[in-house]
Structures are given as C-alpha cells and as structure tokens.
Amino acid sequence: MGNPMHDVLDQWKAAFDGHQPEAMAELFTTDALFQGFGPEVIAGRDAVRDYYAAVADNRSAEVDLLHTYTIGDQAAGGFADVTFRDPTGWTAPVHLSLVLQFDEGAWKIRQYHVSRISTEH
C-alpha cells in the first residue's frame, strides 16, 4: 500500500480536474469538516458535493505534497501546496492540510482546509 496522503491526493486531483463532484464527495467521510474558499466551514458529503459542483468546470489543480504522517492504522494526514488555475490565467495558490481516516475500507478525508498563500502578514 502506498502513502495514504499520496493516494488520496492523486484521486482528489483526478476528480477535481475531471469536474466530478460525486467522485470528490466520495473521497470524504460522511461527517467530514471542510474549509474551502468559502467563508464558513461546511460539514458532510452532501455539502462537499455541492461545493465542488459550484466550481467552474475548466479549473485544474497542481499538487505538490510536502509532508505526511500516519498515526497507527486509522489516521493519517499532511500538507500540500496546491495551485488552482483555469485557461483564462486565473490562479489561486493555497496551502492544503488534510486529516485522513481509514473508513468504509478506504482512506477518506476527515478534515480539509485550504488557506490562500500570501506574502503579506
């Protein structure tokens, strides 16, 4: 078995680049906490599905996995730098942190958080 973060992020990127909201939602636990670009934390697969359904279908993500960890055989996580982009030249570089849980026989995202990268403090 590969690294859980690497495997989950590969699946996440493929689903994001393919604009597949249902596939995206299936990568999350049923009670996942999610902080995307929106102003509020959302919870649950249905909310995650709705979030990704609203993302423009011409966007893609470049993922650079930075750090990973595992805690026993039920929890894992780590950090990645992700740059979202579209063909118009729009880009949004973010730091992404994930907490993973082994759930339903597979690694699922339990907590997702992005923060935009800025040189200002």
Side-chain angles (χ1 to χ4, degrees), residues 16-70:
F16 184 89
D17 289 356
H19 191 66
Q20 301 169 333
E22 185 64 38
M24 298 293 293
E26 288 301 314
L27 295 173
F28 290 78
T29 63
T30 58
D31 59 350
L33 297 176
F34 183 98
Q35 177 66 67
F37 286 173
E40 297 181 8
V41 174
I42 60 176
R45 274 192 191 143
D46 290 341
V48 169
R49 181 182 304 105
D50 292 347
Y51 179 91
Y52 283 119
V55 172
D57 63 5
N58 64 347
R59 291 195 179 157
S60 61
E62 292 178 23
V63 179
D64 182 19
L65 184 57
L66 301 174
H67 301 283
T68 66
Y69 64 87
T70 56

Side-chain angles (χ1 to χ4, degrees), residues 12 14 23 54 71 79-80 84 87 96 98 108:
W12 177 87
I71 301 172
F79 296 93
F84 295 101
L96 169 65
L98 298 180
K108 303 282 184 176

